[in-house]
Amino acid sequence: MNGKMESFVALRYLRGKRKTIGFVSWITYISAAGVCLGSFVLIVALSIANGFEKEVRDRIVGTLAHAKVCRFHTRELYGYEELRQKIMEHPQVIGASPFITGKGGIEYQNRQEGVLIHGIDPELEPTVTDVHKAVKSGFFKLDSTVSSRGRAFPGVLIGKGMADQMSAREGAEIVLYCLPLDNGVEELTPKMARFTVAGVFETGMYEYDLNYVYISLESAKNMMNMIGVEGIQIRTTDLFRADRIANNVLEFLGGYPYRVLDWQTQNKSLFQWMKLERLIIFIVISLIMVVAAFNIISSLIMMILEKRREIGILMSMGATSGAVMRIFRLNGVVVGFLGSTVGVTLGAALGYIQQRWQLIPIPGDLYFINKLPLVVSPIDVLAVYIAANVICWAATIYPAKQAASLLPAESIRYD
């Protein structure tokens, strides 16, 4: 029995003409629809997870640099301009800027909150982060700024969350305070300074918008008793290879006493959780296709019971057990192929349409975006397609073995 004949018989069994066989065929069609639905939903769910991961990643990397270069054992880095120039000589570094960070507090109209103070160079910062693009009101200005009361103080940028919580807007006069570093010279007492809110930024990350404030590098040095800086932020040529490039930069600088920290390491737990979430989505929604596979098993067993006589005739005419197994396995393969192809195609098409035209909205007051993010990954599409076909093929193993084990004489006699 050649391959063409096996294919003809398998497809003939799928269509069915008699009343009972027609019912079996309907079960087969429902199984194909289940595989289609499972593939479609899985592609959409994974694409949504990819979309949110991309949005979060873009906001994190827009706020933080790709990597940092700091010193071991001490926070302060001297001669940072020469170090910055040397880092810029590395072929995979496209931007470098000094920075200082420190914990402190903010006060406005008798309201106090804890903040993370970032001292940055306003001229170099745009080469390593997109904070300047996140300013929604006011200006990206950290030098002398006139307040709404007509007084000039150094400028400060505050997040939208902080601005809303403290009812502070551009032009407001706020007080920042922090505990400076112990340099062994001055008495260690909290330092305070008055600033004018020059602008309000919104990154879309609630934690950043609520806790981050930006002041000039010189203001941060004065508040924290520093001569040098904490480190150098860098932007690399490849966001996804920032860890490798950062290690190359470290080797380029000669290693110790320097150390590097990339954006992925800084947010390791967040992205590990996202990967786990995608795995759980894949496993749970794949159960839809497993249910469809049980339908395939049921339909094939019913088909075998109805077709015992025909199977016996085929085997008496010389069809081998392997040929009979291939006939019924081909049924499951066809169901898996049709269902997975249609489902994956529809899921990928929906993802493309949403990416291109942004037709599906989501509540902007609950999420940091107002359109459903869908990013279709070719790897996800291939994984879902393979998984659907493998599940359907595996569902045919038991029924096909049962069909191949029938004895021709008994099959004909009892029908």
Side-chain angles (χ1 to χ4, degrees):
M1 193 172 184
N2 58 34
K4 289 184 178 179
M5 185 60 69
E6 293 171 6
S7 301
F8 172 79
V9 174
L11 294 176
R12 177 66 182 79
Y13 284 177
L14 274 176
R15 290 193 299 270
K17 294 269 182 165
R18 286 163 48 184
K19 184 176 180 181
T20 308
I21 298 302
F23 174 71
V24 174
S25 297
W26 273 109
I27 296 178
T28 305
Y29 299 151
I30 292 172
S31 302
V35 175
C36 174
L37 178 63
S39 303
F40 171 76
V41 173
L42 191 50
I43 289 293
V44 172
L46 291 175
S47 299
I48 292 174
N50 292 337
F52 274 105
E53 182 178 350
K54 180 180 181 299
E55 293 293 334
V56 171
R57 183 179 64 241
D58 290 347
R59 280 159 173 75
I60 288 176
V61 176
T63 306
L64 305 178
H66 291 183
K68 300 176 182 178
V69 178
C70 303
R71 285 177 64 96
F72 278 106
H73 310 307
T74 178
R75 183 179 178 186
E76 201 157 358
L77 183 66
Y78 303 101
Y80 59 88
E81 182 56 32
E82 292 79 3
L83 178 62
R84 192 189 75 83
Q85 293 292 343
K86 187 174 182 180
I87 291 173
M88 286 298 297
E89 294 175 5
H90 193 281
Q92 292 176 301
V93 174
I94 57 178
S97 175
F99 74 95
I100 296 173
T101 59
K103 294 180 180 179
I106 183 173
E107 180 179 351
Y108 177 68
Q109 293 183 348
N110 297 323
R111 297 179 183 177
Q112 292 114 10
E113 295 290 342
V115 293
L116 187 62
I117 300 171
H118 288 259
I120 59 174
D121 186 325
E123 294 184 1
L124 295 175
E125 187 69 14
T127 66
V128 294
T129 70
D130 295 329
V131 173
H132 61 292
K133 296 179 181 179
V135 176
K136 300 302 181 182
S137 61
F139 303 94
F140 182 72
K141 182 181 180 183
L142 302 180
D143 55 4
S144 182
T145 304
V146 178
S147 71
S148 56
R149 300 172 65 180
R151 299 188 294 184
F153 297 104
V156 61
L157 301 178
I158 63 174
K160 187 176 184 298
M162 178 63 69
D164 292 342
Q165 185 163 313
M166 304 195 74
S167 300
R169 290 293 182 266
E170 60 272 17
E173 295 181 10
I174 59 100
V175 174
L176 289 180
Y177 51 89
C178 69
L179 192 66
L181 292 179
D182 186 2
N183 57 16
V185 178
E186 298 182 17
E187 184 181 353
L188 195 62
T189 57
K191 280 200 170 184
M192 306 175 65
R194 191 174 293 272
F195 292 82
T196 300
V197 177
V200 176
F201 64 87
E202 183 178 11
T203 63
M205 297 294 289
Y206 180 76
E207 180 183 353
Y208 297 165
D209 293 343
L210 183 63
N211 296 302
Y212 283 17
V213 299
Y214 292 88
I215 60 177
S216 68
L217 200 62
E218 294 304 317
S219 296
K221 286 182 182 180
N222 292 334
M223 290 193 68
M224 299 180 193
N225 280 351
M226 295 180 67
I227 300 174
V229 297
E230 181 179 346
I232 305 293
Q233 301 181 101
I234 62 175
R235 172 168 283 187
T236 65
T237 54
D238 189 341
L239 167 67
F240 299 102
R241 295 180 63 248
D243 54 343
R244 297 182 183 179
I245 296 174
N247 288 325
N248 290 339
V249 171
L250 182 62
E251 294 178 6
F252 180 71
L253 296 176
Y256 188 84
Y258 302 112
R259 60 186 177 90
V260 293
L261 185 65
D262 64 276
W263 68 274
Q264 290 170 312
T265 303
Q266 290 178 269
N267 300 276
K268 188 176 181 179
S269 59
L270 174 62
F271 287 101
Q272 282 183 337
W273 174 80
M274 287 185 174
K275 288 180 181 179
L276 178 61
E277 181 187 44
R278 294 181 71 256
L279 178 61
I280 293 173
I281 289 172
F282 187 90
I283 293 173
V284 172
I285 300 183
S286 293
L287 294 177
I288 296 177
M289 290 185 283
V290 173
V291 172
F294 279 109
N295 288 336
I296 293 173
I297 294 174
S298 302
S299 64
L300 287 179
I301 290 176
M302 293 178 65
M303 188 182 297
I304 291 167
L305 293 174
E306 281 295 320
K307 292 292 185 179
R308 281 181 303 174
R309 185 169 181 273
E310 285 84 349
I311 294 171
I313 293 172
L314 286 174
M315 296 182 75
S316 65
M317 294 175 62
T320 63
S321 298
V324 174
M325 288 183 65
R326 285 191 291 272
I327 287 173
F328 288 97
R329 283 187 177 180
L330 186 59
N331 278 271
V333 170
V334 170
V335 170
F337 172 76
L338 292 177
S340 61
T341 300
V342 175
V344 165
T345 301
L346 290 176
L350 177 62
Y352 172 78
I353 292 171
Q354 179 63 13
Q355 277 184 283
R356 180 69 177 80
W357 288 286
Q358 300 286 305
L359 300 178
I360 305 175
I362 58 177
D365 55 342
L366 297 179
Y367 303 94
F368 51 85
I369 49 177
N370 54 17
K371 300 293 182 182
L372 183 66
L374 281 176
V375 176
V376 180
S377 167
I379 296 177
D380 290 341
V381 172
L382 183 62
V384 171
Y385 189 75
I386 292 174
N389 282 279
V390 168
I391 289 173
C392 293
W393 173 83
T396 65
I397 294 177
Y398 174 75
K401 283 186 176 180
Q402 293 298 108
S405 65
L406 293 176
L407 297 175
E410 293 185 1
S411 298
I412 297 173
R413 181 174 59 183
Y414 288 110
D415 197 345

